[in-house]
Amino acid sequence: MKKILLIAIIILGIKSGYSQKYYTEVGLTEFDGSKAAFEPIKAINNSTISIIDFKTGNIAAVIIINQFEFRLRLMQEHFNENYLESNIYPRSTFEGKIINFNDINENFKNYRITGNLTIKGVTKKINTTASIRKFKNQLELIANFSVMLSDFGVRIPKIVFKKIDEEVKINLNFVYDKKN
C-alpha cells in the first residue's frame, strides 16, 4: 500500500510542503459494461487511492485492477485474465488537474477535470466534470464518465461481443481526508 501511495505522490509531483493535500485509499470506483437484455457486467473497487493538492488542483489516482469485485466469480476471472490482464498491467492511473478549483464550500459545485488516464499501458487524455464539495476537513468528489474499451487495447471476443458494451461507464465517489 505504501508503494502505491508513493506512486500517487510522485505522479502528482507535490513539491511544496505548504500545500494542503487531501488523500483517500478507500475511493469507490464502479464500472458498468452491460448491454441491455444481457447479464449485468458491473464491478466495484473500494480501494482506489487518490490525492488532491488543494492549492494547485492537481489530482492523481491509482486503481489496483484485481481489486474490482464482480457479482460472479467467473466474470472476475475473465476480467483479470483475458480483458485487463491484471498480471501484466496491475494498476490503472490517472494524473490530471481540476480546472478553476476555487470557491469550494459545503455545496457541491461542478468542476472540469482534464488529464491522462492509463489502462493496460495505454494513456489517453480524458475530460470530465466532477461535483466537489468541502465539509469539515474532507473533500467529496463524484464523477461519471465513459471510456471506449478499444481506445485502451481491450479486445472483446466475437463470441461475447453482443453481451459487453464497447463503451464502459465509470462512476467515482471519493471522500478525501486532509493530510498535513
Side-chain angles (χ1 to χ4, degrees), residues 13-29:
I14 297 173
K15 295 178 183 163
S16 171
Y18 302 105
S19 295
Q20 288 186 19
K21 297 166 203 72
Y22 287 81
Y23 169 80
T24 186
E25 59 185 41
V26 293
L28 174 68
T29 301

Side-chain angles (χ1 to χ4, degrees), residues 9-46:
I9 291 171
I10 290 170
I11 288 172
L12 190 56
I14 297 173
K15 295 178 183 163
S16 171
Y18 302 105
S19 295
Q20 288 186 19
K21 297 166 203 72
Y22 287 81
Y23 169 80
T24 186
E25 59 185 41
V26 293
L28 174 68
T29 301
E30 299 177 288
F31 80 82
D32 183 350
S34 305
K35 281 193 175 179
F38 287 100
E39 182 78 32
I41 300 173
K42 298 178 180 183
I44 297 174
N45 183 324
N46 287 308

Side-chain angles (χ1 to χ4, degrees), residues 32-34 145-149 156 164-169:
D32 183 350
S34 305
F145 60 96
S146 297
V147 297
M148 300 298 288
L149 293 176
I156 303 170
I164 300 173
D165 200 341
E166 164 68 13
E167 183 177 4
V168 174
K169 294 167 262 333

Side-chain angles (χ1 to χ4, degrees), residues 161-175:
F161 192 78
K162 290 183 179 181
K163 296 179 181 180
I164 300 173
D165 200 341
E166 164 68 13
E167 183 177 4
V168 174
K169 294 167 262 333
I170 299 173
N171 302 312
L172 307 175
N173 190 336
F174 298 169
V175 176

Side-chain angles (χ1 to χ4, degrees), residues 1-16 21-23 49-53 56 58-62 91 93-96 116:
M1 193 62 70
K2 289 184 181 195
K3 181 178 178 184
I4 294 167
L5 174 59
L6 180 62
I7 291 169
I9 291 171
I10 290 170
I11 288 172
L12 190 56
I14 297 173
K15 295 178 183 163
S16 171
K21 297 166 203 72
Y22 287 81
Y23 169 80
I49 298 168
S50 183
I51 190 165
I52 294 176
D53 184 323
T56 65
N58 289 338
I59 182 171
V62 178
R91 68 187 59 84
T93 60
F94 177 77
E95 176 185 359
N116 293 313

Side-chain angles (χ1 to χ4, degrees), residues 23-160:
Y23 169 80
T24 186
E25 59 185 41
V26 293
L28 174 68
T29 301
E30 299 177 288
F31 80 82
D32 183 350
S34 305
K35 281 193 175 179
F38 287 100
E39 182 78 32
I41 300 173
K42 298 178 180 183
I44 297 174
N45 183 324
N46 287 308
S47 57
T48 301
I49 298 168
S50 183
I51 190 165
I52 294 176
D53 184 323
F54 193 78
K55 184 177 178 183
T56 65
N58 289 338
I59 182 171
V62 178
I63 300 169
I64 305 304
I65 299 301
N66 68 11
Q67 295 297 310
F68 278 102
E69 295 179 12
F70 290 76
R71 188 176 64 82
L72 300 174
R73 181 79 180 138
L74 186 59
M75 281 185 188
Q76 191 162 338
E77 287 176 23
H78 287 301
F79 173 80
N80 282 298
E81 294 173 10
N82 303 330
Y83 299 108
L84 272 280
E85 301 175 89
S86 63
N87 60 327
I88 299 169
Y89 308 101
R91 68 187 59 84
S92 176
T93 60
F94 177 77
E95 176 185 359
K97 185 159 184 79
I98 304 168
I99 308 302
N100 297 322
F101 191 51
N102 54 26
D103 297 328
I104 191 162
N105 59 45
E106 291 183 4
N107 298 315
F108 279 106
K109 180 178 174 183
N110 288 335
Y111 292 91
R112 194 169 58 109
I113 298 178
T114 184
N116 293 313
L117 176 64
T118 302
I119 300 172
K120 282 188 71 175
V122 178
T123 301
K124 296 286 181 182
K125 187 157 192 83
I126 66 162
N127 294 295
T128 190
T129 301
S131 295
I132 304 173
R133 71 177 179 153
K134 183 178 180 184
F135 58 104
K136 299 181 182 176
N137 284 325
Q138 295 182 315
L139 291 179
E140 184 174 4
L141 178 146
I142 299 171
N144 306 293
F145 60 96
S146 297
V147 297
M148 300 298 288
L149 293 176
S150 60
D151 286 348
F152 295 95
V154 178
R155 297 184 50 195
I156 303 170
K158 289 187 184 226
I159 194 165
V160 293

